[in-house]
Amino acid sequence: MRTLIIGGTVFLGRAIVQEALRRGHQVTTFNRGASGADAPGVEAVHGDRQVTADLERLAERREWDAVIDVCGYVPRVVGESVRLLSGRAPTYAFISSISAISEFPAKAVNEESARFECAPDAGPDDGDYGTLKAGCERAVEQGFDGNRLIIEPGLILGPHENVGRLPWWLTRMQRGGRVLAPGDPAKPMQVIDARDIAAFTLDQAEAGTDDRFLTSGEQGNTTYGGWLAECARVTGSDAEPIWVDDDFLLEHDVEPWTEFPLWVPNKPDMKELWDMSSAKAAAAGLRCRPVAETVADTWAWLRDIPVDQRSFRTSMLTHGIEPDKEAAILAAWAAR
């Protein structure tokens, strides 16, 4: 196949490029050349998708069998890409997010759940991340003349993660000692490897699928305790998890999700965070590797990066609790 990937240099986009090349696709990437290096073997076209002339230069005299848009966040911007690439490929695959679903994570959701209200031409200030992703989906569905493949991932982990969740926990476990472990170790989780989403997306693009899929791991494919145990095992550390309950952490001003990545207290507005159905995707061929393999492969990538050069942040937030704050909470827990 001739495959155009918008993005393609970091995390999920990187995984899609690598899988496409492994399958023998002729891959074109389109990005600014600012976030990372293009993979050897691709036709790299550098440009800004917010600049119409750059998109026109990309589309000129080129056609593909599928477009895979990995880095669309603003409906108006995605809509312009759709407009200029419509007719240049029979399939447009858009990587959205489960955050586009308005009832998530308060309720269990599937492909039929309602999305946030957001116009397909909305601008960057017309909503938050999930709302704008819903608008981007509409820009694809309403503007592309051909197959519209919408992929809505859940929580993505894996090698080359640029968000810093699993890398922070691996680094903390590597340091060893008494580790503040948040909440309930038996709490089930549901995560997916970026490489499994990449394979499924390409399967569907190759088939010319016109549909939408939630893509998360199998429900309960690990627990918080099991996940941290794997982090300790692969790093070979002497980490000793000290499990501290939700209310105590909240009383000590611990920020859910960020200070302890992937931890949220048992609250009504988050009660279905780890309960989304990927049954439709599984029936269509989604296959998910064991979480232990994802943890081990992520460590194999991360361990060669010096600790002071590892990133646990995005443009919007930073992951990980400060050591002094962690130590103070552990002392308070022991003295309660």
Side-chain angles (χ1 to χ4, degrees):
M1 284 183 64
R2 298 161 300 167
T3 304
L4 168 63
I5 299 171
I6 303 178
T9 61
V10 295
F11 200 25
L12 180 54
R14 178 192 178 107
I16 293 173
V17 167
Q18 293 293 347
E19 178 63 16
L21 290 172
R22 188 191 68 79
R23 296 182 182 206
H25 288 205
Q26 299 174 38
V27 179
T28 301
T29 56
F30 177 70
N31 55 63
R32 295 174 300 162
S35 299
D38 290 285
V42 306
E43 179 199 15
V45 180
H46 288 162
D48 189 333
R49 68 180 302 169
Q50 298 187 68
V51 178
T52 298
D54 287 356
L55 287 168
E56 291 174 337
R57 176 169 50 84
L58 168 69
E60 186 178 8
R61 295 190 301 277
R62 288 185 178 91
E63 291 186 349
W64 300 273
D65 298 301
V67 176
I68 302 177
D69 188 344
V70 192
C71 60
Y73 305 102
V74 179
R76 184 184 305 155
V77 174
V78 171
E80 184 70 350
S81 301
V82 167
R83 182 181 70 82
L84 289 169
L85 295 173
S86 188
R88 297 289 180 177
T91 298
Y92 195 107
F94 179 70
I95 306 297
S96 184
S97 169
I98 194 169
S99 297
I101 300 177
S102 58
E103 295 179 327
F104 179 80
K107 296 182 180 180
V109 297
N110 58 32
E111 285 81 1
E112 304 304 316
S113 300
R115 272 69 190 164
F116 283 106
E117 292 296 328
C118 183
D121 59 351
D125 299 323
D126 291 332
D128 59 12
Y129 172 80
T131 299
L132 293 176
K133 277 289 192 181
C136 291
E137 292 183 12
R138 292 187 182 96
V140 174
E141 291 172 326
Q142 297 178 20
F144 188 74
D145 183 15
N147 302 316
R148 288 75 51 92
L149 173 62
I150 306 296
I151 303 293
E152 295 178 316
L155 198 287
I156 312 173
L157 301 176
H160 302 280
E161 183 196 328
N162 64 334
V163 184
R165 295 163 178 153
L166 179 50
W168 185 85
W169 270 118
L170 286 165
T171 301
R172 177 62 190 91
M173 288 301 190
Q174 179 189 20
R175 194 167 79 237
R178 297 170 74 246
V179 177
L180 198 166
D184 179 4
K187 188 169 188 174
M189 298 171 67
Q190 186 180 7
V191 298
I192 188 168
D193 194 296
R195 295 168 293 180
D196 297 330
I197 296 177
F200 179 74
T201 300
L202 285 163
D203 286 346
Q204 300 306 312
E206 288 170 358
T209 302
D210 183 3
D211 209 342
R212 67 166 61 241
F213 297 94
L214 288 182
T215 54
S216 189
E218 298 171 0
Q219 291 167 313
N221 60 1
T222 189
T223 63
Y224 212 104
W227 185 58
L228 293 192
E230 285 298 325
C231 290
R233 183 186 66 80
V234 300
T235 58
S237 80
D238 63 353
E240 178 192 358
I242 308 297
W243 292 94
V244 178
D245 67 40
D246 292 344
D247 290 340
F248 194 86
L249 294 173
L250 293 174
E251 289 169 6
H252 287 77
D253 299 320
V254 175
E255 186 66 31
W257 199 254
T258 52
E259 287 195 291
F260 290 110
L262 307 192
W263 166 72
V264 291
N266 288 319
K267 300 295 182 183
D269 62 343
M270 301 293 285
K271 68 177 183 177
E272 303 296 342
L273 176 67
W274 303 117
D275 188 16
M276 63 200 80
S277 175
S278 292
K280 180 179 176 181
L286 174 66
R287 297 294 178 265
C288 298
R289 70 197 67 206
V291 174
E293 182 179 331
T294 297
V295 173
D297 289 352
T298 303
W299 176 241
W301 156 69
L302 185 69
R303 67 188 175 195
D304 294 329
I305 302 174
V307 172
D308 62 356
Q309 295 178 28
R310 298 175 190 174
S311 175
F312 312 122
R313 68 180 65 228
T314 69
S315 60
M316 297 182 289
L317 50 85
T318 299
H319 291 101
I321 193 168
E322 291 295 327
D324 289 348
K325 184 174 181 179
E326 179 188 11
I329 295 172
L330 283 171
W333 179 252
R336 71 192 187 286

